[in-house]
Amino acid sequence: MSSDPNCIFCKIVAGQIPSRKVHEDEELLVFHDINPWAPVHVLIVPRVHVASLAATGPEHEALLGRMLTLAPKLMQQLGVTNGFRVVVNTGRDGGQEVDHLHVHVMGGPRPWLKG
Ligand code: AMP
Ligand code: ZN
C-alpha cells in the first residue's frame, strides 16, 4: 500500500492537511512538528506509506539512508549549529503515535520541553 486514506501523514503528503514544510523532494517531505519538544523540531516523512521502522525491509535501505543523511543538511539550513537529536519512535511501547514512518529531528538551545 503506497498511501493509507486514514493516515494523517499520508493526508499531509497529499496536501489534504496543511503543514509548515521545510523540504520536499520526490521521496520525502519534511515539515515542522505541530507540538515541538525543542526550538527546532521537524519530521522527515517518506511520501510512501510505511507503517513504522518495524515494517521496513531491504527494499527500504536506500530510503532510510536518505532520511538520515538529510537530517544534518536540514539542521544546517535551519540554523542549528550546536548538535541535534534524531528519534524514531517505533510501535506502541516505543511511543509511536502516528503509524507512518517518520524521523524526528530536534535541535536548538536547551532547555527543551522533552528529550
Ligand atoms: P510519534 O509519537 O513519533 O508517532 O510522533 C508523531 C508526531 O507527529 C508528534 O510529535 C506530533 O506532534 C506530530 N504531529 C501530529 N499531527 C501533526 C500535524 N498535523 N502536523 C505536524 N505534526 C504533527
Ligand atoms: Zn501514511
Side-chain angles (χ1 to χ4, degrees), residues 6-36:
N6 298 315
C7 168
I8 187 162
F9 286 177
C10 282
K11 288 182 186 170
I12 289 177
V13 166
Q16 291 161 358
I17 291 179
S19 66
R20 285 173 57 215
K21 287 184 197 126
V22 296
H23 170 94
E24 53 186 324
D25 60 43
E26 278 179 16
E27 278 187 305
L28 304 176
L29 186 64
V30 183
F31 49 88
H32 288 278
D33 196 296
I34 207 167
N35 192 13

